[in-house]
Structures are given as C-alpha cells and as structure tokens.
Amino acid sequence: MTPSMEWTREEFAAAVTEHGRRMYRAARAVLDSDADAEDAVSQAVLQAWQSLGRLRNREAVRPWLVKIAVNCACAMRRKQGRVVYLEDLVQEPAAPEPPRYDGLWEAVCALPRERRAVVVLFYYEDMTVDEIARCLGVPRGTVKSRLSRARAQLKEVLHEQEGEYGTV
C-alpha cells in the first residue's frame, strides 16, 4: 500500500523526527533494553509509513505513532517469550543493597514493566486511560489499578530517598 498523497516523504520524516523520542520512551517502557526499544521504533516507523494512508487526521500523528511503537514493542515482548540468558543467572548476594534512584525518571524506569508502561504513556505521553487500554489491549480498570499501584510505589521509593538524602 502506498502512503496517502497528502503526506510527502519529508513531512513524514519530520513527524518521525519530532515524535521519535516519545516513540522510543513508550517502547522502552514496555521492553527491557535500549536496543530492543530502538528495534521496535524502527519497526514502528516502517509500519507507520506503510499504513500512512489510513491516518485521516494530521493532528493525530503523535498518538498514532506512539501507539504503533507500543504495539511493536508489545509484539517483540511476546516473541521474546521467557528466554533466560546465562549472564542473567548470576547469583545475587544474600542481602542485596536496595536500589538508589537519582530522580523520578530512574524510579519510573525501575518499576515493573506493566506499571512502567502505563506511567510513561499516561504522564509522559499524555495518553488517556482509554487510549492506554486500547493500546496495551487491557481493560480500562487494569490501567487504572496499574497507575494507582505505580503511584504508591513511586511515592514510597521517593519518600525513602527523601529520608536518606534530605529533599529530592
């Protein structure tokens, strides 16, 4: 399928350049490595170009690109399955030190994948609960509960950090 005549290659490239960081951040929220997130964004750009004719509203390009990136990241996640790499099997010390976060973004990145994804999409990408539910393929209530649990976890982590270091 060829892209809609309404978009030139340059316009599409400009949209991808403008929203590329958002696409990467959303993909990284779903995946566990930078390289996988980059691959998901590359795949998303290709899919977006191939289906550009389906985008009816130019103003909707940002959420449309982010959604495609999340969908590609979720597809990669499913394909990865439960692969365990030998280097991940290294024995942990008996009493590991609690993680220390230098700020909010680091604390968000340390959340479990499901919570991290909804936090990034909600707070960093300004998606609604309904958009996130459609994007991740989960019920609206699941998105709300993940957001609630993530907020509580972030509050606890940042409060502990504040106690250790004064104010954060």
Side-chain angles (χ1 to χ4, degrees):
M1 172 182 281
T2 59
S4 168
M5 290 300 174
E6 296 175 19
W7 285 82
T8 65
R9 287 182 184 202
E10 292 77 19
E11 289 172 327
F12 178 75
V16 168
T17 300
E18 181 180 351
H19 304 298
R21 287 184 61 90
R22 289 181 173 99
M23 294 169 69
Y24 172 81
R25 196 169 39 224
R28 183 63 176 86
V30 173
L31 298 165
D32 292 327
S33 79
D34 294 340
D36 287 344
E38 290 170 4
D39 289 346
V41 170
S42 295
Q43 182 65 36
V45 169
L46 176 62
Q47 284 184 14
W49 175 251
Q50 291 172 339
S51 59
L52 191 56
R54 291 188 230 154
L55 179 61
R56 301 286 177 233
N57 180 357
R58 279 182 173 261
E59 284 72 44
V61 71
R62 180 189 62 84
W64 184 70
L65 288 171
V66 170
K67 181 176 181 177
I68 293 171
V70 169
N71 288 343
C72 288
C74 288
M76 283 184 70
R77 190 68 162 163
R78 283 189 298 274
K79 286 179 186 176
Q80 289 173 346
R82 297 191 179 265
V83 175
V84 178
Y85 298 98
L86 290 177
E87 58 267 14
D88 293 338
L89 295 176
V90 175
Q91 282 249 330
E92 293 288 326
E97 278 190 41
R100 294 169 82 165
Y101 306 108
D102 293 330
L104 180 59
W105 178 247
E106 288 80 12
V108 168
C109 289
L111 289 170
R113 183 180 71 255
E114 293 84 9
R115 293 179 190 173
R116 181 176 63 227
V118 296
V119 166
V120 169
L121 295 174
F122 188 79
Y123 289 107
Y124 290 88
E125 301 309 324
D126 297 322
M127 293 176 77
T128 66
V129 169
D130 290 331
E131 289 172 329
I132 296 168
R134 282 192 306 274
C135 192
L136 297 179
V138 297
R140 189 173 192 271
T142 301
V143 172
K144 287 180 160 187
S145 67
R146 287 178 183 174
L147 274 172
S148 177
R149 289 183 181 122
R151 285 183 197 116
Q153 188 174 351
L154 288 170
K155 183 178 178 180
E156 181 180 319
V157 166
L158 294 173
H159 180 70
E160 287 172 5
Q161 186 177 6
E162 185 177 279
E164 281 183 40
Y165 303 108
T167 55
V168 181

PDB file of all heavy atoms in Angstrom, residues 138-161:
ATOM      1  N   VAL A 138      -5.620  -4.050  27.261  1.00  0.00           N
ATOM      2  CA  VAL A 138      -6.062  -4.459  28.593  1.00  0.00           C
ATOM      3  C   VAL A 138      -7.309  -3.651  28.955  1.00  0.00           C
ATOM      4  O   VAL A 138      -7.545  -2.586  28.386  1.00  0.00           O
ATOM      5  CB  VAL A 138      -4.968  -4.245  29.668  1.00  0.00           C
ATOM      6  CG1 VAL A 138      -3.743  -5.103  29.374  1.00  0.00           C
ATOM      7  CG2 VAL A 138      -4.568  -2.788  29.776  1.00  0.00           C
ATOM      8  N   PRO A 139      -8.096  -4.123  29.918  1.00  0.00           N
ATOM      9  CA  PRO A 139      -9.273  -3.360  30.327  1.00  0.00           C
ATOM     10  C   PRO A 139      -8.900  -2.022  30.965  1.00  0.00           C
ATOM     11  O   PRO A 139      -7.811  -1.862  31.522  1.00  0.00           O
ATOM     12  CB  PRO A 139      -9.958  -4.269  31.360  1.00  0.00           C
ATOM     13  CG  PRO A 139      -9.420  -5.627  31.105  1.00  0.00           C
ATOM     14  CD  PRO A 139      -8.036  -5.439  30.566  1.00  0.00           C
ATOM     15  N   ARG A 140      -9.816  -1.092  30.899  1.00  0.00           N
ATOM     16  CA  ARG A 140      -9.639   0.247  31.467  1.00  0.00           C
ATOM     17  C   ARG A 140      -9.304   0.160  32.964  1.00  0.00           C
ATOM     18  O   ARG A 140      -8.447   0.887  33.465  1.00  0.00           O
ATOM     19  CB  ARG A 140     -10.932   1.018  31.241  1.00  0.00           C
ATOM     20  CG  ARG A 140     -10.902   2.452  31.561  1.00  0.00           C
ATOM     21  CD  ARG A 140     -12.222   3.106  31.100  1.00  0.00           C
ATOM     22  NE  ARG A 140     -12.114   4.536  31.132  1.00  0.00           N
ATOM     23  CZ  ARG A 140     -12.405   5.280  32.187  1.00  0.00           C
ATOM     24  NH1 ARG A 140     -12.835   4.713  33.300  1.00  0.00           N
ATOM     25  NH2 ARG A 140     -12.272   6.589  32.139  1.00  0.00           N
ATOM     26  N   GLY A 141      -9.993  -0.710  33.684  1.00  0.00           N
ATOM     27  CA  GLY A 141      -9.754  -0.876  35.120  1.00  0.00           C
ATOM     28  C   GLY A 141      -8.348  -1.357  35.424  1.00  0.00           C
ATOM     29  O   GLY A 141      -7.766  -0.996  36.452  1.00  0.00           O
ATOM     30  N   THR A 142      -7.790  -2.176  34.539  1.00  0.00           N
ATOM     31  CA  THR A 142      -6.417  -2.658  34.719  1.00  0.00           C
ATOM     32  C   THR A 142      -5.441  -1.497  34.615  1.00  0.00           C
ATOM     33  O   THR A 142      -4.492  -1.397  35.404  1.00  0.00           O
ATOM     34  CB  THR A 142      -6.092  -3.736  33.676  1.00  0.00           C
ATOM     35  OG1 THR A 142      -7.011  -4.818  33.827  1.00  0.00           O
ATOM     36  CG2 THR A 142      -4.677  -4.249  33.816  1.00  0.00           C
ATOM     37  N   VAL A 143      -5.673  -0.614  33.665  1.00  0.00           N
ATOM     38  CA  VAL A 143      -4.814   0.565  33.522  1.00  0.00           C
ATOM     39  C   VAL A 143      -4.892   1.412  34.784  1.00  0.00           C
ATOM     40  O   VAL A 143      -3.866   1.834  35.325  1.00  0.00           O
ATOM     41  CB  VAL A 143      -5.207   1.394  32.281  1.00  0.00           C
ATOM     42  CG1 VAL A 143      -4.444   2.715  32.232  1.00  0.00           C
ATOM     43  CG2 VAL A 143      -4.985   0.597  31.005  1.00  0.00           C
ATOM     44  N   LYS A 144      -6.106   1.634  35.287  1.00  0.00           N
ATOM     45  CA  LYS A 144      -6.278   2.437  36.497  1.00  0.00           C
ATOM     46  C   LYS A 144      -5.586   1.813  37.700  1.00  0.00           C
ATOM     47  O   LYS A 144      -4.932   2.504  38.487  1.00  0.00           O
ATOM     48  CB  LYS A 144      -7.765   2.637  36.792  1.00  0.00           C
ATOM     49  CG  LYS A 144      -8.448   3.589  35.858  1.00  0.00           C
ATOM     50  CD  LYS A 144      -9.908   3.708  36.255  1.00  0.00           C
ATOM     51  CE  LYS A 144     -10.545   4.946  35.713  1.00  0.00           C
ATOM     52  NZ  LYS A 144     -11.901   5.126  36.229  1.00  0.00           N
ATOM     53  N   SER A 145      -5.716   0.501  37.862  1.00  0.00           N
ATOM     54  CA  SER A 145      -5.095  -0.147  39.018  1.00  0.00           C
ATOM     55  C   SER A 145      -3.568  -0.135  38.896  1.00  0.00           C
ATOM     56  O   SER A 145      -2.864   0.062  39.889  1.00  0.00           O
ATOM     57  CB  SER A 145      -5.623  -1.564  39.212  1.00  0.00           C
ATOM     58  OG  SER A 145      -5.233  -2.407  38.158  1.00  0.00           O
ATOM     59  N   ARG A 146      -3.054  -0.318  37.676  1.00  0.00           N
ATOM     60  CA  ARG A 146      -1.595  -0.254  37.496  1.00  0.00           C
ATOM     61  C   ARG A 146      -1.074   1.150  37.789  1.00  0.00           C
ATOM     62  O   ARG A 146      -0.011   1.304  38.403  1.00  0.00           O
ATOM     63  CB  ARG A 146      -1.210  -0.676  36.075  1.00  0.00           C
ATOM     64  CG  ARG A 146      -1.357  -2.160  35.839  1.00  0.00           C
ATOM     65  CD  ARG A 146      -1.015  -2.534  34.418  1.00  0.00           C
ATOM     66  NE  ARG A 146      -1.239  -3.953  34.186  1.00  0.00           N
ATOM     67  CZ  ARG A 146      -1.140  -4.533  33.003  1.00  0.00           C
ATOM     68  NH1 ARG A 146      -0.798  -3.830  31.936  1.00  0.00           N
ATOM     69  NH2 ARG A 146      -1.364  -5.833  32.873  1.00  0.00           N
ATOM     70  N   LEU A 147      -1.817   2.163  37.345  1.00  0.00           N
ATOM     71  CA  LEU A 147      -1.417   3.537  37.654  1.00  0.00           C
ATOM     72  C   LEU A 147      -1.425   3.789  39.157  1.00  0.00           C
ATOM     73  O   LEU A 147      -0.502   4.390  39.702  1.00  0.00           O
ATOM     74  CB  LEU A 147      -2.357   4.529  36.958  1.00  0.00           C
ATOM     75  CG  LEU A 147      -2.031   4.926  35.540  1.00  0.00           C
ATOM     76  CD1 LEU A 147      -3.163   5.755  34.942  1.00  0.00           C
ATOM     77  CD2 LEU A 147      -0.724   5.694  35.467  1.00  0.00           C
ATOM     78  N   SER A 148      -2.453   3.320  39.825  1.00  0.00           N
ATOM     79  CA  SER A 148      -2.565   3.513  41.264  1.00  0.00           C
ATOM     80  C   SER A 148      -1.417   2.827  42.002  1.00  0.00           C
ATOM     81  O   SER A 148      -0.790   3.422  42.889  1.00  0.00           O
ATOM     82  CB  SER A 148      -3.909   2.975  41.756  1.00  0.00           C
ATOM     83  OG  SER A 148      -4.002   3.087  43.148  1.00  0.00           O
ATOM     84  N   ARG A 149      -1.145   1.593  41.632  1.00  0.00           N
ATOM     85  CA  ARG A 149      -0.045   0.859  42.288  1.00  0.00           C
ATOM     86  C   ARG A 149       1.308   1.497  41.985  1.00  0.00           C
ATOM     87  O   ARG A 149       2.185   1.553  42.847  1.00  0.00           O
ATOM     88  CB  ARG A 149      -0.078  -0.596  41.856  1.00  0.00           C
ATOM     89  CG  ARG A 149      -1.255  -1.342  42.446  1.00  0.00           C
ATOM     90  CD  ARG A 149      -1.254  -2.812  42.071  1.00  0.00           C
ATOM     91  NE  ARG A 149      -2.413  -3.466  42.645  1.00  0.00           N
ATOM     92  CZ  ARG A 149      -3.332  -4.105  41.938  1.00  0.00           C
ATOM     93  NH1 ARG A 149      -3.217  -4.204  40.623  1.00  0.00           N
ATOM     94  NH2 ARG A 149      -4.364  -4.659  42.531  1.00  0.00           N
ATOM     95  N   ALA A 150       1.476   1.968  40.753  1.00  0.00           N
ATOM     96  CA  ALA A 150       2.738   2.613  40.382  1.00  0.00           C
ATOM     97  C   ALA A 150       2.924   3.901  41.176  1.00  0.00           C
ATOM     98  O   ALA A 150       4.025   4.180  41.667  1.00  0.00           O
ATOM     99  CB  ALA A 150       2.757   2.901  38.886  1.00  0.00           C
ATOM    100  N   ARG A 151       1.868   4.688  41.309  1.00  0.00           N
ATOM    101  CA  ARG A 151       1.950   5.932  42.099  1.00  0.00           C
ATOM    102  C   ARG A 151       2.350   5.630  43.532  1.00  0.00           C
ATOM    103  O   ARG A 151       3.202   6.311  44.110  1.00  0.00           O
ATOM    104  CB  ARG A 151       0.614   6.664  42.092  1.00  0.00           C
ATOM    105  CG  ARG A 151       0.291   7.362  40.814  1.00  0.00           C
ATOM    106  CD  ARG A 151      -1.032   8.129  40.954  1.00  0.00           C
ATOM    107  NE  ARG A 151      -1.567   8.469  39.669  1.00  0.00           N
ATOM    108  CZ  ARG A 151      -2.727   8.015  39.186  1.00  0.00           C
ATOM    109  NH1 ARG A 151      -3.489   7.211  39.895  1.00  0.00           N
ATOM    110  NH2 ARG A 151      -3.130   8.384  37.997  1.00  0.00           N
ATOM    111  N   ALA A 152       1.716   4.615  44.110  1.00  0.00           N
ATOM    112  CA  ALA A 152       2.032   4.249  45.501  1.00  0.00           C
ATOM    113  C   ALA A 152       3.485   3.802  45.620  1.00  0.00           C
ATOM    114  O   ALA A 152       4.190   4.192  46.561  1.00  0.00           O
ATOM    115  CB  ALA A 152       1.090   3.149  45.979  1.00  0.00           C
ATOM    116  N   GLN A 153       3.941   3.004  44.673  1.00  0.00           N
ATOM    117  CA  GLN A 153       5.319   2.515  44.697  1.00  0.00           C
ATOM    118  C   GLN A 153       6.302   3.679  44.522  1.00  0.00           C
ATOM    119  O   GLN A 153       7.300   3.758  45.237  1.00  0.00           O
ATOM    120  CB  GLN A 153       5.524   1.471  43.599  1.00  0.00           C
ATOM    121  CG  GLN A 153       6.858   0.778  43.663  1.00  0.00           C
ATOM    122  CD  GLN A 153       6.965  -0.357  42.648  1.00  0.00           C
ATOM    123  OE1 GLN A 153       5.988  -0.739  42.006  1.00  0.00           O
ATOM    124  NE2 GLN A 153       8.159  -0.883  42.502  1.00  0.00           N
ATOM    125  N   LEU A 154       6.016   4.583  43.589  1.00  0.00           N
ATOM    126  CA  LEU A 154       6.895   5.731  43.377  1.00  0.00           C
ATOM    127  C   LEU A 154       6.922   6.634  44.609  1.00  0.00           C
ATOM    128  O   LEU A 154       7.981   7.128  45.001  1.00  0.00           O
ATOM    129  CB  LEU A 154       6.442   6.523  42.147  1.00  0.00           C
ATOM    130  CG  LEU A 154       6.705   5.875  40.807  1.00  0.00           C
ATOM    131  CD1 LEU A 154       6.005   6.640  39.698  1.00  0.00           C
ATOM    132  CD2 LEU A 154       8.203   5.766  40.542  1.00  0.00           C
ATOM    133  N   LYS A 155       5.766   6.839  45.209  1.00  0.00           N
ATOM    134  CA  LYS A 155       5.690   7.675  46.409  1.00  0.00           C
ATOM    135  C   LYS A 155       6.554   7.086  47.522  1.00  0.00           C
ATOM    136  O   LYS A 155       7.306   7.797  48.183  1.00  0.00           O
ATOM    137  CB  LYS A 155       4.234   7.794  46.865  1.00  0.00           C
ATOM    138  CG  LYS A 155       4.031   8.693  48.046  1.00  0.00           C
ATOM    139  CD  LYS A 155       2.558   8.799  48.399  1.00  0.00           C
ATOM    140  CE  LYS A 155       2.347   9.668  49.612  1.00  0.00           C
ATOM    141  NZ  LYS A 155       0.929   9.772  49.967  1.00  0.00           N
ATOM    142  N   GLU A 156       6.451   5.774  47.700  1.00  0.00           N
ATOM    143  CA  GLU A 156       7.229   5.100  48.737  1.00  0.00           C
ATOM    144  C   GLU A 156       8.726   5.213  48.460  1.00  0.00           C
ATOM    145  O   GLU A 156       9.508   5.575  49.338  1.00  0.00           O
ATOM    146  CB  GLU A 156       6.818   3.627  48.811  1.00  0.00           C
ATOM    147  CG  GLU A 156       7.558   2.843  49.866  1.00  0.00           C
ATOM    148  CD  GLU A 156       7.120   1.391  49.897  1.00  0.00           C
ATOM    149  OE1 GLU A 156       5.903   1.127  49.766  1.00  0.00           O
ATOM    150  OE2 GLU A 156       8.000   0.526  50.027  1.00  0.00           O
ATOM    151  N   VAL A 157       9.123   4.923  47.226  1.00  0.00           N
ATOM    152  CA  VAL A 157      10.543   4.968  46.870  1.00  0.00           C
ATOM    153  C   VAL A 157      11.094   6.382  47.014  1.00  0.00           C
ATOM    154  O   VAL A 157      12.164   6.581  47.591  1.00  0.00           O
ATOM    155  CB  VAL A 157      10.751   4.459  45.416  1.00  0.00           C
ATOM    156  CG1 VAL A 157      12.127   4.815  44.893  1.00  0.00           C
ATOM    157  CG2 VAL A 157      10.535   2.957  45.354  1.00  0.00           C
ATOM    158  N   LEU A 158      10.366   7.355  46.519  1.00  0.00           N
ATOM    159  CA  LEU A 158      10.851   8.738  46.584  1.00  0.00           C
ATOM    160  C   LEU A 158      10.821   9.276  48.007  1.00  0.00           C
ATOM    161  O   LEU A 158      11.675  10.075  48.397  1.00  0.00           O
ATOM    162  CB  LEU A 158      10.063   9.617  45.626  1.00  0.00           C
ATOM    163  CG  LEU A 158      10.276   9.263  44.142  1.00  0.00           C
ATOM    164  CD1 LEU A 158       9.333  10.058  43.263  1.00  0.00           C
ATOM    165  CD2 LEU A 158      11.716   9.464  43.728  1.00  0.00           C
ATOM    166  N   HIS A 159       9.859   8.818  48.818  1.00  0.00           N
ATOM    167  CA  HIS A 159       9.812   9.225  50.222  1.00  0.00           C
ATOM    168  C   HIS A 159      11.013   8.647  50.971  1.00  0.00           C
ATOM    169  O   HIS A 159      11.648   9.344  51.773  1.00  0.00           O
ATOM    170  CB  HIS A 159       8.504   8.767  50.874  1.00  0.00           C
ATOM    171  CG  HIS A 159       8.400   9.155  52.310  1.00  0.00           C
ATOM    172  ND1 HIS A 159       8.238  10.460  52.716  1.00  0.00           N
ATOM    173  CD2 HIS A 159       8.460   8.399  53.440  1.00  0.00           C
ATOM    174  CE1 HIS A 159       8.201  10.493  54.036  1.00  0.00           C
ATOM    175  NE2 HIS A 159       8.332   9.263  54.497  1.00  0.00           N
ATOM    176  N   GLU A 160      11.337   7.391  50.716  1.00  0.00           N
ATOM    177  CA  GLU A 160      12.507   6.773  51.345  1.00  0.00           C
ATOM    178  C   GLU A 160      13.775   7.510  50.944  1.00  0.00           C
ATOM    179  O   GLU A 160      14.650   7.757  51.762  1.00  0.00           O
ATOM    180  CB  GLU A 160      12.625   5.303  50.932  1.00  0.00           C
ATOM    181  CG  GLU A 160      11.603   4.393  51.566  1.00  0.00           C
ATOM    182  CD  GLU A 160      11.638   2.990  50.993  1.00  0.00           C
ATOM    183  OE1 GLU A 160      12.529   2.687  50.169  1.00  0.00           O
ATOM    184  OE2 GLU A 160      10.760   2.194  51.356  1.00  0.00           O
ATOM    185  N   GLN A 161      13.853   7.867  49.661  1.00  0.00           N
ATOM    186  CA  GLN A 161      15.021   8.583  49.172  1.00  0.00           C
ATOM    187  C   GLN A 161      15.124   9.963  49.819  1.00  0.00           C
ATOM    188  O   GLN A 161      16.201  10.394  50.187  1.00  0.00           O
ATOM    189  CB  GLN A 161      14.929   8.727  47.654  1.00  0.00           C
ATOM    190  CG  GLN A 161      16.160   9.338  47.037  1.00  0.00           C
ATOM    191  CD  GLN A 161      16.047   9.396  45.524  1.00  0.00           C
ATOM    192  OE1 GLN A 161      15.017   9.077  44.947  1.00  0.00           O
ATOM    193  NE2 GLN A 161      17.115   9.807  44.888  1.00  0.00           N
TER     194      GLN A 161
END
